[in-house]
mmCIF file of all heavy atoms in Angstrom:
data_model
loop_
_atom_site.group_PDB
_atom_site.id
_atom_site.type_symbol
_atom_site.label_atom_id
_atom_site.label_comp_id
_atom_site.label_asym_id
_atom_site.label_seq_id
_atom_site.Cartn_x
_atom_site.Cartn_y
_atom_site.Cartn_z
ATOM 1 N N GLY S 122 22.511 25.232 17.259
ATOM 2 C CA GLY S 122 22.304 24.987 18.713
ATOM 3 C C GLY S 122 23.501 24.308 19.310
ATOM 4 O O GLY S 122 24.280 23.605 18.678
ATOM 5 N N PRO S 123 23.636 24.466 20.610
ATOM 6 C CA PRO S 123 24.798 23.928 21.343
ATOM 7 C C PRO S 123 24.802 22.401 21.475
ATOM 8 O O PRO S 123 25.887 21.829 21.810
ATOM 9 C CB PRO S 123 24.665 24.576 22.724
ATOM 10 C CG PRO S 123 23.230 24.806 22.923
ATOM 11 C CD PRO S 123 22.730 25.143 21.530
ATOM 12 N N ARG S 124 23.710 21.722 21.187
ATOM 13 C CA ARG S 124 23.672 20.286 21.361
ATOM 14 C C ARG S 124 24.056 19.450 20.144
ATOM 15 O O ARG S 124 24.192 18.288 20.182
ATOM 16 C CB ARG S 124 22.235 19.896 21.766
ATOM 17 C CG ARG S 124 21.829 20.423 23.089
ATOM 18 C CD ARG S 124 20.420 19.937 23.427
ATOM 19 N NE ARG S 124 20.004 20.435 24.736
ATOM 20 C CZ ARG S 124 18.959 19.999 25.356
ATOM 21 N NH1 ARG S 124 18.162 19.069 24.793
ATOM 22 N NH2 ARG S 124 18.616 20.501 26.500
ATOM 23 N N LEU S 125 24.272 20.141 19.011
ATOM 24 C CA LEU S 125 24.540 19.410 17.748
ATOM 25 C C LEU S 125 25.896 18.637 17.954
ATOM 26 O O LEU S 125 26.956 19.230 18.123
ATOM 27 C CB LEU S 125 24.671 20.309 16.571
ATOM 28 C CG LEU S 125 24.756 19.662 15.220
ATOM 29 C CD1 LEU S 125 23.471 18.831 14.936
ATOM 30 C CD2 LEU S 125 24.943 20.700 14.118
ATOM 31 N N GLN S 126 25.783 17.292 17.858
ATOM 32 C CA GLN S 126 26.902 16.433 17.983
ATOM 33 C C GLN S 126 27.340 15.749 16.710
ATOM 34 O O GLN S 126 28.493 15.325 16.562
ATOM 35 C CB GLN S 126 26.595 15.317 18.994
ATOM 36 C CG GLN S 126 26.287 15.835 20.371
ATOM 37 C CD GLN S 126 25.724 14.715 21.270
ATOM 38 O OE1 GLN S 126 25.723 13.542 20.902
ATOM 39 N NE2 GLN S 126 25.193 15.110 22.391
ATOM 40 N N ARG S 127 26.439 15.648 15.715
ATOM 41 C CA ARG S 127 26.753 14.932 14.480
ATOM 42 C C ARG S 127 26.063 15.598 13.286
ATOM 43 O O ARG S 127 24.887 15.818 13.334
ATOM 44 C CB ARG S 127 26.311 13.462 14.534
ATOM 45 C CG ARG S 127 26.767 12.621 13.386
ATOM 46 C CD ARG S 127 26.286 11.189 13.532
ATOM 47 N NE ARG S 127 24.897 11.020 13.361
ATOM 48 C CZ ARG S 127 24.274 10.965 12.185
ATOM 49 N NH1 ARG S 127 24.948 11.071 11.067
ATOM 50 N NH2 ARG S 127 22.972 10.784 12.083
ATOM 51 N N LEU S 128 26.846 15.905 12.276
ATOM 52 C CA LEU S 128 26.303 16.433 11.065
ATOM 53 C C LEU S 128 26.918 15.670 9.888
ATOM 54 O O LEU S 128 28.137 15.676 9.673
ATOM 55 C CB LEU S 128 26.663 17.918 10.936
ATOM 56 C CG LEU S 128 26.201 18.655 9.671
ATOM 57 C CD1 LEU S 128 24.680 18.635 9.548
ATOM 58 C CD2 LEU S 128 26.711 20.113 9.694
ATOM 59 N N ALA S 129 26.074 14.925 9.161
ATOM 60 C CA ALA S 129 26.536 14.120 7.997
ATOM 61 C C ALA S 129 26.376 14.894 6.713
ATOM 62 O O ALA S 129 25.262 15.333 6.430
ATOM 63 C CB ALA S 129 25.794 12.815 7.969
ATOM 64 N N VAL S 130 27.454 15.087 6.016
ATOM 65 C CA VAL S 130 27.432 15.922 4.796
ATOM 66 C C VAL S 130 28.159 15.276 3.615
ATOM 67 O O VAL S 130 28.681 15.944 2.790
ATOM 68 C CB VAL S 130 28.055 17.322 5.093
ATOM 69 C CG1 VAL S 130 27.152 18.121 6.008
ATOM 70 C CG2 VAL S 130 29.490 17.198 5.596
ATOM 71 N N SER S 131 28.128 13.945 3.543
ATOM 72 C CA SER S 131 28.752 13.262 2.390
ATOM 73 C C SER S 131 27.982 13.525 1.106
ATOM 74 O O SER S 131 26.787 13.807 1.106
ATOM 75 C CB SER S 131 28.717 11.746 2.633
ATOM 76 O OG SER S 131 29.504 11.451 3.772
ATOM 77 N N PHE S 132 28.724 13.493 0.032
ATOM 78 C CA PHE S 132 28.166 13.673 -1.322
ATOM 79 C C PHE S 132 27.478 14.998 -1.511
ATOM 80 O O PHE S 132 26.411 15.067 -2.139
ATOM 81 C CB PHE S 132 27.268 12.484 -1.713
ATOM 82 C CG PHE S 132 27.945 11.166 -1.633
ATOM 83 C CD1 PHE S 132 27.634 10.255 -0.631
ATOM 84 C CD2 PHE S 132 28.948 10.805 -2.523
ATOM 85 C CE1 PHE S 132 28.263 8.999 -0.554
ATOM 86 C CE2 PHE S 132 29.597 9.574 -2.435
ATOM 87 C CZ PHE S 132 29.229 8.700 -1.461
ATOM 88 N N ILE S 133 28.059 16.077 -0.977
ATOM 89 C CA ILE S 133 27.588 17.404 -1.251
ATOM 90 C C ILE S 133 28.738 18.093 -2.021
ATOM 91 O O ILE S 133 29.762 18.475 -1.414
ATOM 92 C CB ILE S 133 27.283 18.190 0.061
ATOM 93 C CG1 ILE S 133 26.135 17.484 0.790
ATOM 94 C CG2 ILE S 133 26.935 19.631 -0.252
ATOM 95 C CD1 ILE S 133 25.714 18.113 2.109
ATOM 96 N N PRO S 134 28.585 18.196 -3.348
ATOM 97 C CA PRO S 134 29.720 18.582 -4.182
ATOM 98 C C PRO S 134 30.320 19.946 -3.884
ATOM 99 O O PRO S 134 31.526 20.174 -4.033
ATOM 100 C CB PRO S 134 29.136 18.564 -5.613
ATOM 101 C CG PRO S 134 27.863 17.799 -5.509
ATOM 102 C CD PRO S 134 27.409 17.895 -4.112
ATOM 103 N N ASP S 135 29.510 20.931 -3.503
ATOM 104 C CA ASP S 135 30.000 22.276 -3.300
ATOM 105 C C ASP S 135 30.815 22.429 -1.978
ATOM 106 O O ASP S 135 31.449 23.456 -1.789
ATOM 107 C CB ASP S 135 28.804 23.251 -3.249
ATOM 108 C CG ASP S 135 29.263 24.681 -3.339
ATOM 109 O OD1 ASP S 135 29.953 25.048 -4.303
ATOM 110 O OD2 ASP S 135 28.948 25.487 -2.409
ATOM 111 N N LEU S 136 30.814 21.451 -1.155
ATOM 112 C CA LEU S 136 31.475 21.546 0.142
ATOM 113 C C LEU S 136 32.956 21.086 0.052
ATOM 114 O O LEU S 136 33.225 19.898 -0.139
ATOM 115 C CB LEU S 136 30.709 20.660 1.168
ATOM 116 C CG LEU S 136 31.003 20.890 2.634
ATOM 117 C CD1 LEU S 136 30.858 22.345 3.056
ATOM 118 C CD2 LEU S 136 30.045 20.052 3.469
ATOM 119 N N SER S 137 33.849 22.041 0.103
ATOM 120 C CA SER S 137 35.263 21.792 -0.017
ATOM 121 C C SER S 137 35.937 21.391 1.290
ATOM 122 O O SER S 137 35.311 21.515 2.345
ATOM 123 C CB SER S 137 35.971 23.050 -0.589
ATOM 124 O OG SER S 137 35.971 24.045 0.379
ATOM 125 N N GLU S 138 37.178 20.915 1.209
ATOM 126 C CA GLU S 138 37.898 20.564 2.446
ATOM 127 C C GLU S 138 38.120 21.823 3.311
ATOM 128 O O GLU S 138 38.024 21.799 4.527
ATOM 129 C CB GLU S 138 39.216 19.903 2.093
ATOM 130 C CG GLU S 138 39.084 18.524 1.466
ATOM 131 C CD GLU S 138 38.333 17.529 2.401
ATOM 132 O OE1 GLU S 138 38.537 17.522 3.645
ATOM 133 O OE2 GLU S 138 37.521 16.772 1.869
ATOM 134 N N ALA S 139 38.417 22.962 2.654
ATOM 135 C CA ALA S 139 38.578 24.215 3.385
ATOM 136 C C ALA S 139 37.281 24.604 4.113
ATOM 137 O O ALA S 139 37.294 25.085 5.190
ATOM 138 C CB ALA S 139 39.042 25.336 2.448
ATOM 139 N N GLY S 140 36.132 24.436 3.401
ATOM 140 C CA GLY S 140 34.869 24.750 3.949
ATOM 141 C C GLY S 140 34.581 23.894 5.167
ATOM 142 O O GLY S 140 34.041 24.335 6.192
ATOM 143 N N LEU S 141 34.892 22.588 5.065
ATOM 144 C CA LEU S 141 34.719 21.649 6.148
ATOM 145 C C LEU S 141 35.513 22.102 7.363
ATOM 146 O O LEU S 141 35.036 22.057 8.502
ATOM 147 C CB LEU S 141 35.107 20.251 5.763
ATOM 148 C CG LEU S 141 34.113 19.450 4.929
ATOM 149 C CD1 LEU S 141 34.722 18.149 4.474
ATOM 150 C CD2 LEU S 141 32.865 19.183 5.749
ATOM 151 N N ALA S 142 36.744 22.505 7.123
ATOM 152 C CA ALA S 142 37.622 22.966 8.220
ATOM 153 C C ALA S 142 37.027 24.209 8.887
ATOM 154 O O ALA S 142 37.027 24.312 10.141
ATOM 155 C CB ALA S 142 39.039 23.285 7.698
ATOM 156 N N THR S 143 36.481 25.055 8.130
ATOM 157 C CA THR S 143 35.858 26.287 8.699
ATOM 158 C C THR S 143 34.619 25.948 9.547
ATOM 159 O O THR S 143 34.462 26.406 10.665
ATOM 160 C CB THR S 143 35.390 27.267 7.575
ATOM 161 O OG1 THR S 143 36.563 27.638 6.813
ATOM 162 C CG2 THR S 143 34.696 28.474 8.128
ATOM 163 N N ILE S 144 33.796 25.024 9.035
ATOM 164 C CA ILE S 144 32.595 24.554 9.757
ATOM 165 C C ILE S 144 33.011 23.910 11.039
ATOM 166 O O ILE S 144 32.447 24.096 12.120
ATOM 167 C CB ILE S 144 31.746 23.651 8.911
ATOM 168 C CG1 ILE S 144 31.220 24.444 7.681
ATOM 169 C CG2 ILE S 144 30.586 23.083 9.667
ATOM 170 C CD1 ILE S 144 30.704 23.571 6.555
ATOM 171 N N ARG S 145 34.029 23.021 10.979
ATOM 172 C CA ARG S 145 34.507 22.327 12.167
ATOM 173 C C ARG S 145 35.029 23.318 13.250
ATOM 174 O O ARG S 145 34.808 23.091 14.422
ATOM 175 C CB ARG S 145 35.645 21.331 11.799
ATOM 176 C CG ARG S 145 35.074 20.110 11.169
ATOM 177 C CD ARG S 145 36.201 19.083 10.869
ATOM 178 N NE ARG S 145 35.607 17.841 10.344
ATOM 179 C CZ ARG S 145 35.871 17.384 9.094
ATOM 180 N NH1 ARG S 145 36.730 17.967 8.322
ATOM 181 N NH2 ARG S 145 35.261 16.300 8.710
ATOM 182 N N SER S 146 35.654 24.381 12.779
ATOM 183 C CA SER S 146 36.109 25.393 13.796
ATOM 184 C C SER S 146 35.008 26.185 14.363
ATOM 185 O O SER S 146 35.084 26.622 15.496
ATOM 186 C CB SER S 146 37.145 26.329 13.077
ATOM 187 O OG SER S 146 36.521 27.188 12.158
ATOM 188 N N LEU S 147 33.863 26.375 13.629
ATOM 189 C CA LEU S 147 32.745 27.121 14.108
ATOM 190 C C LEU S 147 31.805 26.283 15.003
ATOM 191 O O LEU S 147 31.066 26.804 15.787
ATOM 192 C CB LEU S 147 31.950 27.678 12.950
ATOM 193 C CG LEU S 147 32.670 28.765 12.137
ATOM 194 C CD1 LEU S 147 31.884 29.095 10.846
ATOM 195 C CD2 LEU S 147 32.855 30.028 12.962
ATOM 196 N N ILE S 148 31.847 24.973 14.828
ATOM 197 C CA ILE S 148 31.034 24.044 15.652
ATOM 198 C C ILE S 148 31.995 22.952 16.239
ATOM 199 O O ILE S 148 31.977 21.814 15.804
ATOM 200 C CB ILE S 148 29.948 23.339 14.815
ATOM 201 C CG1 ILE S 148 29.234 24.326 13.859
ATOM 202 C CG2 ILE S 148 28.930 22.747 15.760
ATOM 203 C CD1 ILE S 148 28.300 23.624 12.951
ATOM 204 N N PRO S 149 32.841 23.366 17.176
ATOM 205 C CA PRO S 149 33.878 22.426 17.625
ATOM 206 C C PRO S 149 33.410 21.192 18.313
ATOM 207 O O PRO S 149 34.098 20.159 18.238
ATOM 208 C CB PRO S 149 34.703 23.306 18.605
ATOM 209 C CG PRO S 149 33.800 24.412 19.012
ATOM 210 C CD PRO S 149 32.847 24.655 17.847
#
Side-chain angles (χ1 to χ4, degrees):
R124 295 182 179 191
L125 189 63
Q126 298 170 10
R127 186 180 71 81
L128 179 61
V130 293
S131 296
F132 302 110
I133 298 178
D135 192 57
L136 196 51
S137 69
E138 292 301 320
L141 281 172
T143 301
I144 296 163
R145 285 183 175 118
S146 71
L147 293 169
I148 317 172

